[in-house]
Amino acid sequence: MRKTCLVRAVWISLLMIPALGLSQQVSEHGVKTLSPPGAIKPTGTWNLGTRAGDFVFVAGMRGIDPATNSLVAGDEARVLQAFKNMQLIAASEGATLRDAVRLVVYVTDMYRYRPLVNKAQEQLWGAGPYPPRTIVEVDRLNQDDIVEVEGTFYAPQKR
């Protein structure tokens, strides 16, 4: 009887997370939504990232300053900020940039912005090795932004 009451109390607590305005939730299968302190605020029906087992999946991050929730000025600074926003979400689960197993980058002009993406990666990763990356030119991004980067990271859970 006690065990049943305890299980019920845990489930009720988990169900109360959204009602209390807390942003971190765990599904019945252990998928955890991520919204660490200092991160940007989602602007719609999406979350910043999730942990599923030993992997961390970071949503498309753009060059938004977390302090103001506004796009940063300057193309180079904006691309770098997008990577830093992704890095913050991954780091909240113990992953570093070296733990990236896949990146996808969306740019609105391949010719103009691919070199800036390369430069940001060189600045953040150093001389490499670099993770596998797909870069795609798209017609348009939210707020007419120039870049969006998403990543998958390997971060074994401590058992």
mmCIF file of all heavy atoms in Angstrom, residues 43-95:
data_model
loop_
_atom_site.group_PDB
_atom_site.id
_atom_site.type_symbol
_atom_site.label_atom_id
_atom_site.label_comp_id
_atom_site.label_asym_id
_atom_site.label_seq_id
_atom_site.Cartn_x
_atom_site.Cartn_y
_atom_site.Cartn_z
ATOM 1 N N THR A 43 9.827 30.216 -28.388
ATOM 2 C CA THR A 43 8.797 31.169 -28.822
ATOM 3 C C THR A 43 7.561 30.477 -29.382
ATOM 4 O O THR A 43 6.747 31.114 -30.019
ATOM 5 C CB THR A 43 9.375 32.105 -29.900
ATOM 6 O OG1 THR A 43 9.879 31.288 -30.968
ATOM 7 C CG2 THR A 43 10.480 32.971 -29.344
ATOM 8 N N GLY A 44 7.452 29.191 -29.176
ATOM 9 C CA GLY A 44 6.296 28.482 -29.719
ATOM 10 C C GLY A 44 6.167 27.115 -29.099
ATOM 11 O O GLY A 44 6.602 26.880 -27.971
ATOM 12 N N THR A 45 5.617 26.207 -29.865
ATOM 13 C CA THR A 45 5.328 24.858 -29.367
ATOM 14 C C THR A 45 6.509 23.929 -29.586
ATOM 15 O O THR A 45 6.425 22.946 -30.313
ATOM 16 C CB THR A 45 4.076 24.297 -30.067
ATOM 17 O OG1 THR A 45 4.308 24.349 -31.486
ATOM 18 C CG2 THR A 45 2.840 25.088 -29.721
ATOM 19 N N TRP A 46 7.624 24.256 -28.974
ATOM 20 C CA TRP A 46 8.837 23.446 -29.058
ATOM 21 C C TRP A 46 9.644 23.672 -27.787
ATOM 22 O O TRP A 46 9.390 24.608 -27.044
ATOM 23 C CB TRP A 46 9.650 23.814 -30.303
ATOM 24 C CG TRP A 46 10.079 25.258 -30.365
ATOM 25 C CD1 TRP A 46 9.303 26.329 -30.708
ATOM 26 C CD2 TRP A 46 11.358 25.798 -30.061
ATOM 27 N NE1 TRP A 46 10.018 27.495 -30.635
ATOM 28 C CE2 TRP A 46 11.301 27.202 -30.240
ATOM 29 C CE3 TRP A 46 12.560 25.239 -29.640
ATOM 30 C CZ2 TRP A 46 12.384 28.031 -30.030
ATOM 31 C CZ3 TRP A 46 13.647 26.083 -29.430
ATOM 32 C CH2 TRP A 46 13.549 27.455 -29.635
ATOM 33 N N ASN A 47 10.587 22.768 -27.541
ATOM 34 C CA ASN A 47 11.483 22.974 -26.407
ATOM 35 C C ASN A 47 12.919 22.994 -26.909
ATOM 36 O O ASN A 47 13.195 22.646 -28.047
ATOM 37 C CB ASN A 47 11.248 21.944 -25.293
ATOM 38 C CG ASN A 47 11.611 20.545 -25.698
ATOM 39 O OD1 ASN A 47 12.766 20.249 -25.972
ATOM 40 N ND2 ASN A 47 10.627 19.655 -25.745
ATOM 41 N N LEU A 48 13.812 23.428 -26.057
ATOM 42 C CA LEU A 48 15.201 23.645 -26.444
ATOM 43 C C LEU A 48 15.964 22.358 -26.724
ATOM 44 O O LEU A 48 16.872 22.340 -27.539
ATOM 45 C CB LEU A 48 15.921 24.437 -25.350
ATOM 46 C CG LEU A 48 15.310 25.790 -25.008
ATOM 47 C CD1 LEU A 48 16.049 26.419 -23.844
ATOM 48 C CD2 LEU A 48 15.300 26.692 -26.221
ATOM 49 N N GLY A 49 15.609 21.312 -26.022
ATOM 50 C CA GLY A 49 16.306 20.052 -26.222
ATOM 51 C C GLY A 49 15.693 18.958 -25.386
ATOM 52 O O GLY A 49 14.816 19.205 -24.550
ATOM 53 N N THR A 50 16.177 17.757 -25.621
ATOM 54 C CA THR A 50 15.752 16.608 -24.833
ATOM 55 C C THR A 50 16.937 15.691 -24.595
ATOM 56 O O THR A 50 17.895 15.674 -25.364
ATOM 57 C CB THR A 50 14.650 15.774 -25.534
ATOM 58 O OG1 THR A 50 15.125 15.357 -26.808
ATOM 59 C CG2 THR A 50 13.366 16.534 -25.684
ATOM 60 N N ARG A 51 16.838 14.946 -23.503
ATOM 61 C CA ARG A 51 17.771 13.844 -23.253
ATOM 62 C C ARG A 51 16.952 12.586 -23.405
ATOM 63 O O ARG A 51 15.886 12.444 -22.826
ATOM 64 C CB ARG A 51 18.356 13.889 -21.853
ATOM 65 C CG ARG A 51 19.157 12.591 -21.549
ATOM 66 C CD ARG A 51 19.714 12.542 -20.160
ATOM 67 N NE ARG A 51 20.995 13.218 -20.040
ATOM 68 C CZ ARG A 51 22.165 12.716 -20.474
ATOM 69 N NH1 ARG A 51 22.208 11.548 -21.078
ATOM 70 N NH2 ARG A 51 23.276 13.393 -20.307
ATOM 71 N N ALA A 52 17.478 11.663 -24.209
ATOM 72 C CA ALA A 52 16.878 10.340 -24.367
ATOM 73 C C ALA A 52 18.008 9.343 -24.186
ATOM 74 O O ALA A 52 18.880 9.225 -25.064
ATOM 75 C CB ALA A 52 16.212 10.189 -25.727
ATOM 76 N N GLY A 53 18.041 8.695 -23.040
ATOM 77 C CA GLY A 53 19.124 7.758 -22.757
ATOM 78 C C GLY A 53 20.448 8.489 -22.689
ATOM 79 O O GLY A 53 20.596 9.476 -21.975
ATOM 80 N N ASP A 54 21.403 8.025 -23.483
ATOM 81 C CA ASP A 54 22.739 8.623 -23.473
ATOM 82 C C ASP A 54 22.917 9.739 -24.499
ATOM 83 O O ASP A 54 24.039 10.209 -24.719
ATOM 84 C CB ASP A 54 23.789 7.531 -23.720
ATOM 85 C CG ASP A 54 23.923 6.579 -22.540
ATOM 86 O OD1 ASP A 54 23.550 6.960 -21.410
ATOM 87 O OD2 ASP A 54 24.405 5.448 -22.742
ATOM 88 N N PHE A 55 21.831 10.158 -25.127
ATOM 89 C CA PHE A 55 21.931 11.179 -26.164
ATOM 90 C C PHE A 55 21.161 12.433 -25.795
ATOM 91 O O PHE A 55 20.089 12.372 -25.193
ATOM 92 C CB PHE A 55 21.432 10.640 -27.507
ATOM 93 C CG PHE A 55 22.373 9.631 -28.095
ATOM 94 C CD1 PHE A 55 22.211 8.286 -27.815
ATOM 95 C CD2 PHE A 55 23.438 10.016 -28.892
ATOM 96 C CE1 PHE A 55 23.089 7.344 -28.329
ATOM 97 C CE2 PHE A 55 24.318 9.087 -29.403
ATOM 98 C CZ PHE A 55 24.145 7.744 -29.123
ATOM 99 N N VAL A 56 21.732 13.573 -26.180
ATOM 100 C CA VAL A 56 21.109 14.870 -25.990
ATOM 101 C C VAL A 56 20.843 15.444 -27.380
ATOM 102 O O VAL A 56 21.756 15.520 -28.214
ATOM 103 C CB VAL A 56 22.029 15.816 -25.182
ATOM 104 C CG1 VAL A 56 21.426 17.210 -25.085
ATOM 105 C CG2 VAL A 56 22.301 15.232 -23.798
ATOM 106 N N PHE A 57 19.596 15.822 -27.603
ATOM 107 C CA PHE A 57 19.178 16.379 -28.884
ATOM 108 C C PHE A 57 18.838 17.846 -28.664
ATOM 109 O O PHE A 57 17.963 18.171 -27.861
ATOM 110 C CB PHE A 57 17.953 15.632 -29.416
ATOM 111 C CG PHE A 57 18.196 14.158 -29.606
ATOM 112 C CD1 PHE A 57 17.981 13.269 -28.564
ATOM 113 C CD2 PHE A 57 18.657 13.672 -30.814
ATOM 114 C CE1 PHE A 57 18.216 11.907 -28.725
ATOM 115 C CE2 PHE A 57 18.892 12.311 -30.988
ATOM 116 C CZ PHE A 57 18.666 11.436 -29.937
ATOM 117 N N VAL A 58 19.540 18.722 -29.381
ATOM 118 C CA VAL A 58 19.334 20.159 -29.222
ATOM 119 C C VAL A 58 18.574 20.678 -30.435
ATOM 120 O O VAL A 58 18.951 20.430 -31.585
ATOM 121 C CB VAL A 58 20.672 20.908 -29.068
ATOM 122 C CG1 VAL A 58 20.432 22.402 -28.907
ATOM 123 C CG2 VAL A 58 21.457 20.362 -27.878
ATOM 124 N N ALA A 59 17.492 21.394 -30.160
ATOM 125 C CA ALA A 59 16.673 21.982 -31.215
ATOM 126 C C ALA A 59 17.474 23.019 -31.996
ATOM 127 O O ALA A 59 18.543 23.458 -31.558
ATOM 128 C CB ALA A 59 15.443 22.639 -30.595
ATOM 129 N N GLY A 60 16.944 23.423 -33.115
ATOM 130 C CA GLY A 60 17.588 24.461 -33.920
ATOM 131 C C GLY A 60 17.767 25.737 -33.119
ATOM 132 O O GLY A 60 16.805 26.312 -32.623
ATOM 133 N N MET A 61 19.012 26.148 -32.957
ATOM 134 C CA MET A 61 19.345 27.368 -32.220
ATOM 135 C C MET A 61 19.747 28.445 -33.215
ATOM 136 O O MET A 61 20.465 28.183 -34.174
ATOM 137 C CB MET A 61 20.506 27.129 -31.259
ATOM 138 C CG MET A 61 20.193 26.190 -30.111
ATOM 139 S SD MET A 61 19.095 26.939 -28.901
ATOM 140 C CE MET A 61 17.754 25.756 -28.951
ATOM 141 N N ARG A 62 19.275 29.645 -32.941
ATOM 142 C CA ARG A 62 19.636 30.782 -33.782
ATOM 143 C C ARG A 62 20.481 31.755 -32.969
ATOM 144 O O ARG A 62 20.734 31.528 -31.804
ATOM 145 C CB ARG A 62 18.365 31.444 -34.315
ATOM 146 C CG ARG A 62 17.606 30.495 -35.241
ATOM 147 C CD ARG A 62 16.346 31.073 -35.865
ATOM 148 N NE ARG A 62 15.390 31.506 -34.864
ATOM 149 C CZ ARG A 62 15.036 32.784 -34.668
ATOM 150 N NH1 ARG A 62 15.548 33.753 -35.389
ATOM 151 N NH2 ARG A 62 14.151 33.091 -33.746
ATOM 152 N N GLY A 63 20.887 32.823 -33.588
ATOM 153 C CA GLY A 63 21.769 33.790 -32.949
ATOM 154 C C GLY A 63 21.040 34.758 -32.047
ATOM 155 O O GLY A 63 21.069 35.973 -32.250
ATOM 156 N N ILE A 64 20.396 34.215 -31.040
ATOM 157 C CA ILE A 64 19.607 35.016 -30.104
ATOM 158 C C ILE A 64 20.397 35.206 -28.810
ATOM 159 O O ILE A 64 20.935 34.254 -28.266
ATOM 160 C CB ILE A 64 18.262 34.317 -29.820
ATOM 161 C CG1 ILE A 64 17.438 34.234 -31.106
ATOM 162 C CG2 ILE A 64 17.498 35.018 -28.711
ATOM 163 C CD1 ILE A 64 16.173 33.410 -30.985
ATOM 164 N N ASP A 65 20.439 36.431 -28.334
ATOM 165 C CA ASP A 65 21.068 36.733 -27.050
ATOM 166 C C ASP A 65 20.110 36.294 -25.949
ATOM 167 O O ASP A 65 18.996 36.815 -25.860
ATOM 168 C CB ASP A 65 21.337 38.235 -26.965
ATOM 169 C CG ASP A 65 21.952 38.667 -25.648
ATOM 170 O OD1 ASP A 65 22.045 37.853 -24.700
ATOM 171 O OD2 ASP A 65 22.340 39.848 -25.563
ATOM 172 N N PRO A 66 20.521 35.335 -25.102
ATOM 173 C CA PRO A 66 19.617 34.851 -24.052
ATOM 174 C C PRO A 66 19.195 35.942 -23.053
ATOM 175 O O PRO A 66 18.107 35.869 -22.495
ATOM 176 C CB PRO A 66 20.421 33.767 -23.336
ATOM 177 C CG PRO A 66 21.486 33.371 -24.285
ATOM 178 C CD PRO A 66 21.776 34.582 -25.112
ATOM 179 N N ALA A 67 20.024 36.947 -22.878
ATOM 180 C CA ALA A 67 19.703 38.010 -21.913
ATOM 181 C C ALA A 67 18.552 38.882 -22.396
ATOM 182 O O ALA A 67 17.747 39.369 -21.596
ATOM 183 C CB ALA A 67 20.936 38.867 -21.641
ATOM 184 N N THR A 68 18.451 39.075 -23.707
ATOM 185 C CA THR A 68 17.415 39.957 -24.251
ATOM 186 C C THR A 68 16.376 39.205 -25.084
ATOM 187 O O THR A 68 15.355 39.771 -25.445
ATOM 188 C CB THR A 68 18.054 41.028 -25.150
ATOM 189 O OG1 THR A 68 18.684 40.384 -26.267
ATOM 190 C CG2 THR A 68 19.067 41.868 -24.382
ATOM 191 N N ASN A 69 16.673 37.961 -25.407
ATOM 192 C CA ASN A 69 15.838 37.145 -26.291
ATOM 193 C C ASN A 69 15.647 37.819 -27.654
ATOM 194 O O ASN A 69 14.610 37.685 -28.296
ATOM 195 C CB ASN A 69 14.497 36.790 -25.651
ATOM 196 C CG ASN A 69 14.261 35.287 -25.657
ATOM 197 O OD1 ASN A 69 15.193 34.498 -25.563
ATOM 198 N ND2 ASN A 69 13.017 34.898 -25.778
ATOM 199 N N SER A 70 16.671 38.560 -28.068
ATOM 200 C CA SER A 70 16.671 39.239 -29.372
ATOM 201 C C SER A 70 17.862 38.766 -30.185
ATOM 202 O O SER A 70 18.884 38.342 -29.636
ATOM 203 C CB SER A 70 16.785 40.754 -29.180
ATOM 204 O OG SER A 70 15.707 41.238 -28.412
ATOM 205 N N LEU A 71 17.747 38.886 -31.514
ATOM 206 C CA LEU A 71 18.860 38.524 -32.393
ATOM 207 C C LEU A 71 20.048 39.443 -32.136
ATOM 208 O O LEU A 71 19.871 40.654 -31.966
ATOM 209 C CB LEU A 71 18.434 38.635 -33.860
ATOM 210 C CG LEU A 71 17.379 37.635 -34.320
ATOM 211 C CD1 LEU A 71 16.871 38.008 -35.714
ATOM 212 C CD2 LEU A 71 17.941 36.231 -34.331
ATOM 213 N N VAL A 72 21.249 38.870 -32.109
ATOM 214 C CA VAL A 72 22.443 39.699 -31.949
ATOM 215 C C VAL A 72 22.759 40.384 -33.267
ATOM 216 O O VAL A 72 22.387 39.900 -34.340
ATOM 217 C CB VAL A 72 23.660 38.881 -31.435
ATOM 218 C CG1 VAL A 72 23.388 38.284 -30.078
ATOM 219 C CG2 VAL A 72 24.055 37.811 -32.421
ATOM 220 N N ALA A 73 23.450 41.498 -33.183
ATOM 221 C CA ALA A 73 23.805 42.267 -34.375
ATOM 222 C C ALA A 73 25.045 41.673 -35.034
ATOM 223 O O ALA A 73 25.947 41.174 -34.355
ATOM 224 C CB ALA A 73 24.056 43.723 -34.000
ATOM 225 N N GLY A 74 25.092 41.719 -36.345
ATOM 226 C CA GLY A 74 26.253 41.283 -37.100
ATOM 227 C C GLY A 74 26.187 39.813 -37.462
ATOM 228 O O GLY A 74 25.890 38.967 -36.619
ATOM 229 N N ASP A 75 26.471 39.513 -38.719
ATOM 230 C CA ASP A 75 26.367 38.144 -39.223
ATOM 231 C C ASP A 75 27.296 37.175 -38.492
ATOM 232 O O ASP A 75 26.877 36.102 -38.065
ATOM 233 C CB ASP A 75 26.670 38.107 -40.723
ATOM 234 C CG ASP A 75 25.643 38.853 -41.561
ATOM 235 O OD1 ASP A 75 24.562 39.203 -41.021
ATOM 236 O OD2 ASP A 75 25.922 39.087 -42.751
ATOM 237 N N GLU A 76 28.569 37.543 -38.359
ATOM 238 C CA GLU A 76 29.542 36.662 -37.717
ATOM 239 C C GLU A 76 29.172 36.406 -36.258
ATOM 240 O O GLU A 76 29.208 35.269 -35.778
ATOM 241 C CB GLU A 76 30.940 37.265 -37.823
ATOM 242 C CG GLU A 76 32.036 36.316 -37.434
ATOM 243 C CD GLU A 76 33.426 36.873 -37.728
ATOM 244 O OE1 GLU A 76 33.599 37.606 -38.731
ATOM 245 O OE2 GLU A 76 34.344 36.561 -36.939
ATOM 246 N N ALA A 77 28.796 37.463 -35.545
ATOM 247 C CA ALA A 77 28.406 37.333 -34.142
ATOM 248 C C ALA A 77 27.146 36.485 -34.002
ATOM 249 O O ALA A 77 27.023 35.695 -33.061
ATOM 250 C CB ALA A 77 28.186 38.719 -33.526
ATOM 251 N N ARG A 78 26.238 36.618 -34.947
ATOM 252 C CA ARG A 78 24.991 35.864 -34.879
ATOM 253 C C ARG A 78 25.236 34.374 -35.090
ATOM 254 O O ARG A 78 24.663 33.533 -34.401
ATOM 255 C CB ARG A 78 23.999 36.388 -35.904
ATOM 256 C CG ARG A 78 22.627 35.793 -35.687
ATOM 257 C CD ARG A 78 21.591 36.383 -36.582
ATOM 258 N NE ARG A 78 21.414 37.800 -36.308
ATOM 259 C CZ ARG A 78 20.676 38.608 -37.063
ATOM 260 N NH1 ARG A 78 20.050 38.128 -38.122
ATOM 261 N NH2 ARG A 78 20.549 39.874 -36.772
ATOM 262 N N VAL A 79 26.089 34.031 -36.030
ATOM 263 C CA VAL A 79 26.411 32.619 -36.272
ATOM 264 C C VAL A 79 27.083 32.021 -35.040
ATOM 265 O O VAL A 79 26.718 30.934 -34.587
ATOM 266 C CB VAL A 79 27.296 32.466 -37.531
ATOM 267 C CG1 VAL A 79 27.827 31.046 -37.654
ATOM 268 C CG2 VAL A 79 26.525 32.867 -38.785
ATOM 269 N N LEU A 80 28.046 32.732 -34.479
ATOM 270 C CA LEU A 80 28.739 32.253 -33.287
ATOM 271 C C LEU A 80 27.763 32.075 -32.123
ATOM 272 O O LEU A 80 27.821 31.076 -31.402
ATOM 273 C CB LEU A 80 29.869 33.213 -32.905
ATOM 274 C CG LEU A 80 30.745 32.774 -31.735
ATOM 275 C CD1 LEU A 80 31.450 31.455 -32.017
ATOM 276 C CD2 LEU A 80 31.769 33.870 -31.424
ATOM 277 N N GLN A 81 26.831 33.018 -31.959
ATOM 278 C CA GLN A 81 25.864 32.931 -30.870
ATOM 279 C C GLN A 81 24.954 31.714 -31.029
ATOM 280 O O GLN A 81 24.603 31.064 -30.049
ATOM 281 C CB GLN A 81 25.019 34.209 -30.778
ATOM 282 C CG GLN A 81 24.082 34.232 -29.591
ATOM 283 C CD GLN A 81 24.819 34.222 -28.270
ATOM 284 O OE1 GLN A 81 25.727 35.027 -28.050
ATOM 285 N NE2 GLN A 81 24.446 33.337 -27.357
ATOM 286 N N ALA A 82 24.593 31.381 -32.250
ATOM 287 C CA ALA A 82 23.762 30.193 -32.488
ATOM 288 C C ALA A 82 24.474 28.948 -31.968
ATOM 289 O O ALA A 82 23.877 28.108 -31.282
ATOM 290 C CB ALA A 82 23.434 30.055 -33.975
ATOM 291 N N PHE A 83 25.773 28.828 -32.277
ATOM 292 C CA PHE A 83 26.555 27.687 -31.782
ATOM 293 C C PHE A 83 26.664 27.708 -30.259
ATOM 294 O O PHE A 83 26.572 26.680 -29.599
ATOM 295 C CB PHE A 83 27.944 27.655 -32.420
ATOM 296 C CG PHE A 83 27.978 26.994 -33.761
ATOM 297 C CD1 PHE A 83 27.918 27.748 -34.914
ATOM 298 C CD2 PHE A 83 28.065 25.615 -33.876
ATOM 299 C CE1 PHE A 83 27.942 27.136 -36.157
ATOM 300 C CE2 PHE A 83 28.088 24.990 -35.106
ATOM 301 C CZ PHE A 83 28.029 25.759 -36.260
ATOM 302 N N LYS A 84 26.859 28.891 -29.680
ATOM 303 C CA LYS A 84 26.970 28.994 -28.225
ATOM 304 C C LYS A 84 25.652 28.622 -27.544
ATOM 305 O O LYS A 84 25.654 28.018 -26.474
ATOM 306 C CB LYS A 84 27.411 30.400 -27.820
ATOM 307 C CG LYS A 84 28.871 30.673 -28.114
ATOM 308 C CD LYS A 84 29.266 32.066 -27.671
ATOM 309 C CE LYS A 84 30.749 32.297 -27.877
ATOM 310 N NZ LYS A 84 31.148 33.657 -27.441
ATOM 311 N N ASN A 85 24.536 28.976 -28.156
ATOM 312 C CA ASN A 85 23.236 28.597 -27.595
ATOM 313 C C ASN A 85 23.070 27.083 -27.607
ATOM 314 O O ASN A 85 22.576 26.501 -26.641
ATOM 315 C CB ASN A 85 22.102 29.277 -28.360
ATOM 316 C CG ASN A 85 22.036 30.770 -28.099
ATOM 317 O OD1 ASN A 85 22.561 31.273 -27.105
ATOM 318 N ND2 ASN A 85 21.388 31.491 -28.993
ATOM 319 N N MET A 86 23.504 26.438 -28.688
ATOM 320 C CA MET A 86 23.458 24.982 -28.759
ATOM 321 C C MET A 86 24.383 24.377 -27.704
ATOM 322 O O MET A 86 24.013 23.435 -27.004
ATOM 323 C CB MET A 86 23.873 24.504 -30.158
ATOM 324 C CG MET A 86 23.879 22.995 -30.314
ATOM 325 S SD MET A 86 24.529 22.445 -31.901
ATOM 326 C CE MET A 86 26.239 22.974 -31.780
ATOM 327 N N GLN A 87 25.571 24.940 -27.580
ATOM 328 C CA GLN A 87 26.563 24.458 -26.614
ATOM 329 C C GLN A 87 26.017 24.513 -25.190
ATOM 330 O O GLN A 87 26.227 23.584 -24.406
ATOM 331 C CB GLN A 87 27.826 25.312 -26.737
ATOM 332 C CG GLN A 87 28.946 24.922 -25.810
ATOM 333 C CD GLN A 87 30.159 25.837 -25.959
ATOM 334 O OE1 GLN A 87 30.043 26.988 -26.387
ATOM 335 N NE2 GLN A 87 31.323 25.314 -25.628
ATOM 336 N N LEU A 88 25.297 25.568 -24.835
ATOM 337 C CA LEU A 88 24.760 25.711 -23.484
ATOM 338 C C LEU A 88 23.754 24.601 -23.167
ATOM 339 O O LEU A 88 23.785 24.040 -22.074
ATOM 340 C CB LEU A 88 24.087 27.077 -23.324
ATOM 341 C CG LEU A 88 23.501 27.290 -21.938
ATOM 342 C CD1 LEU A 88 24.363 28.259 -21.150
ATOM 343 C CD2 LEU A 88 22.088 27.797 -22.028
ATOM 344 N N ILE A 89 22.898 24.271 -24.117
ATOM 345 C CA ILE A 89 21.907 23.216 -23.884
ATOM 346 C C ILE A 89 22.625 21.883 -23.702
ATOM 347 O O ILE A 89 22.328 21.123 -22.772
ATOM 348 C CB ILE A 89 20.907 23.120 -25.052
ATOM 349 C CG1 ILE A 89 20.231 24.458 -25.339
ATOM 350 C CG2 ILE A 89 19.868 22.026 -24.783
ATOM 351 C CD1 ILE A 89 19.519 25.089 -24.198
ATOM 352 N N ALA A 90 23.587 21.577 -24.570
ATOM 353 C CA ALA A 90 24.337 20.318 -24.458
ATOM 354 C C ALA A 90 25.091 20.258 -23.129
ATOM 355 O O ALA A 90 25.088 19.226 -22.449
ATOM 356 C CB ALA A 90 25.299 20.179 -25.631
ATOM 357 N N ALA A 91 25.723 21.362 -22.748
ATOM 358 C CA ALA A 91 26.505 21.394 -21.501
ATOM 359 C C ALA A 91 25.632 21.179 -20.271
ATOM 360 O O ALA A 91 26.104 20.633 -19.274
ATOM 361 C CB ALA A 91 27.251 22.724 -21.392
ATOM 362 N N SER A 92 24.367 21.553 -20.360
ATOM 363 C CA SER A 92 23.475 21.370 -19.210
ATOM 364 C C SER A 92 23.293 19.894 -18.867
ATOM 365 O O SER A 92 22.897 19.564 -17.754
ATOM 366 C CB SER A 92 22.113 22.017 -19.483
ATOM 367 O OG SER A 92 21.327 21.239 -20.377
ATOM 368 N N GLU A 93 23.638 19.006 -19.804
ATOM 369 C CA GLU A 93 23.555 17.560 -19.572
ATOM 370 C C GLU A 93 24.928 16.903 -19.562
ATOM 371 O O GLU A 93 25.054 15.694 -19.716
ATOM 372 C CB GLU A 93 22.659 16.915 -20.624
ATOM 373 C CG GLU A 93 21.195 17.249 -20.441
ATOM 374 C CD GLU A 93 20.648 16.723 -19.118
ATOM 375 O OE1 GLU A 93 20.797 15.515 -18.848
ATOM 376 O OE2 GLU A 93 20.064 17.513 -18.350
ATOM 377 N N GLY A 94 25.979 17.725 -19.434
ATOM 378 C CA GLY A 94 27.329 17.187 -19.307
ATOM 379 C C GLY A 94 28.058 16.939 -20.616
ATOM 380 O O GLY A 94 29.137 16.356 -20.617
ATOM 381 N N ALA A 95 27.499 17.377 -21.732
ATOM 382 C CA ALA A 95 28.150 17.176 -23.028
ATOM 383 C C ALA A 95 28.991 18.396 -23.403
ATOM 384 O O ALA A 95 28.635 19.528 -23.088
ATOM 385 C CB ALA A 95 27.112 16.913 -24.118
#
